[in-house]
Structures are given as C-alpha cells and as structure tokens.
Amino acid sequence: MLLTFEVIAEALRERIRSGGLEPGDALPTQAVLMAEYGASSLSVQKAMALLKQDGYAISRPGKGAFVAHPDADTDGDSDDGAAGNTPVGGTAARVEALELALAETLDQLTALRARVEALEAGGTERGC
C-alpha cells in the first residue's frame, strides 16, 4: 500500500510522462495538491522532495516548483535554446530534496518526542 506522498508523487510523474505537464511547466501549488488529494502539507512536501530527488522537478526560489526534463541523462544533447526555460534535475536538485527530507524527518522526530514525553507525563504538563 502506497503512502499519501507516494500516491501524489506517482500521479504527478504520470502527468509528466503523459505530457499533461511538460518540461518548464509549473507544478501545482502545495495548496492545490492538498485540496486535490486531501493531504497534509507534510505529505505534499514529501511528494515534491521525491519528485526533485528523482529528477522530475526543480525549485526556482520565489517562483515555485517546475517540471524538469525527466530524461535529462538520456537526451540531454538536445540544446534547442530552451535551456534557460527548462529546468533540469541534477545534483543540486537532489541535494535540495535530501535537505528537505532531512528537515521534515527532524520535525517528525521532534513531534514524536513531544508526544512520548506527554504520554510519559500522563498527559499533564510537568516541568515545562
């Protein structure tokens, strides 16, 4: 069974593969994806991190996420002047995705630690 973020990532990959989203197109915003899939912001962020890690998407600071060329490694020799318009996944995109995933994991661990401490305290706030 796939997790919500995996479902979102696979659906976006399929849109890209089918041509519904083309290289350079803006990906749906976090708010749109949350509404479309009934997902949390964390699930959408994880899906986007996965797409970036796999080379399907790239972020443009202040502008959002865009479709990268999914076959950048196999047909990257097609320089048709669109290089400035078409984001290409690579090491930077993967590092960014890994950093986001790490930050999300740390947030989850912090939340879990707080839950455990609350349970151990019997639901009361002691020593806060």
Side-chain angles (χ1 to χ4, degrees), residues 50-104:
L50 194 55
L51 289 173
K52 291 173 191 172
Q53 179 181 334
D54 293 344
Y56 280 88
I58 190 164
S59 289
R60 292 184 182 165
K63 296 187 180 186
F66 295 83
V67 177
H69 198 292
D71 300 321
D73 294 332
T74 57
D75 64 358
D77 57 336
S78 61
D79 281 281
D80 55 9
N85 298 330
T86 304
V88 177
T91 303
R94 290 186 175 151
V95 167
E96 180 182 347
L98 289 171
E99 287 174 343
L100 177 61
L102 177 60
E104 291 169 356

Side-chain angles (χ1 to χ4, degrees), residues 11 16 23 29 44 47-48 56 87 93 117 121:
I16 293 166
T29 64
V44 171
M48 295 305 288
Y56 280 88
E117 289 173 356

Side-chain angles (χ1 to χ4, degrees), residues 22-36:
E22 297 181 357
D25 285 350
L27 289 167
T29 64
Q30 181 172 324
V32 167
L33 292 171
M34 287 171 63
E36 186 175 340

